[in-house]
Amino acid sequence: MKNVASQEFIEEIKKQWKQLWRERIDDKIRGEGVAHTDYSSLFIEKGTVIFATRNFKVLNLKEIIEMHGITEVNKVLPPNPEVGGWRKFTKTMILSQTRHRRARQASEYLACKVEKRQLKKGGRGWLHL
């Protein structure tokens, strides 16, 4: 029951997170985005700078959920895009395993194929004696 309640709570936080980014005010002169309204569950007040071009710490949804006391954040949220996300995980962890096996099979096949080739000019090489 507790898991279902936390799941619904996290979905509500995600909705507010999307709404925050959708309804922000973009200040083109200063190069920053400002929150339009208060978001109490995200710990963001009206007028808070959401993102800026220089000297700014980016907001992180994972940290906000952890501030609410939910510990199993990794099961609910995808990996951080700064780290690489699902695509990078797939490339580094899953595809790398298949590449090594595939390369080994290819090298064994080529080694077997080279031994069985018929030698050119009876094995004398390119010099004509």
Side-chain angles (χ1 to χ4, degrees):
M1 212 52 174
K2 184 179 179 183
N3 192 13
V4 174
S6 65
Q7 189 78 1
E8 291 174 1
F9 182 70
I10 290 174
E11 290 300 322
E12 184 63 33
I13 290 177
K14 281 184 179 181
K15 285 179 185 176
Q16 284 192 4
W17 180 259
K18 290 176 186 176
Q19 184 179 5
L20 167 71
W21 288 101
R22 190 173 40 245
E23 295 179 354
R24 70 179 186 266
I25 299 171
D26 290 327
D27 186 3
K28 304 258 184 201
I29 296 170
R30 292 185 180 175
E32 58 189 27
V34 180
H36 180 64
T37 58
D38 289 331
Y39 298 98
S40 59
S41 61
L42 297 177
F43 306 109
I44 296 174
E45 298 175 353
K46 181 178 180 179
T48 304
V49 177
I50 300 171
F51 72 93
T53 54
R54 284 190 254 159
N55 299 332
F56 180 74
K57 183 178 181 267
V58 180
L59 296 174
N60 191 351
L61 182 61
K62 183 177 178 180
E63 291 175 2
I64 292 171
I65 293 175
E66 287 175 350
M67 288 170 68
H68 282 287
I70 299 172
T71 56
E72 299 176 0
V73 180
N74 293 331
K75 294 181 181 178
V76 180
L77 296 177
N80 191 355
E82 295 171 356
V83 174
W86 293 115
R87 187 170 185 158
K88 185 170 184 178
F89 171 77
T90 305
K91 285 181 180 179
T92 56
M93 299 305 291
I94 297 172
L95 294 179
S96 64
Q97 294 172 358
T98 57
R99 285 184 187 154
H100 294 300
R101 181 178 56 197
R102 186 103 166 134
R104 187 178 68 239
Q105 289 174 347
S107 65
E108 289 173 359
Y109 175 76
L110 290 175
C112 179
K113 197 115 163 123
V114 168
E115 292 173 4
K116 295 181 182 178
R117 286 188 186 160
Q118 182 179 357
L119 297 174
K120 213 174 194 184
K121 299 178 184 172
R124 290 179 294 156
W126 57 275
L127 293 175
H128 301 283
L129 297 175

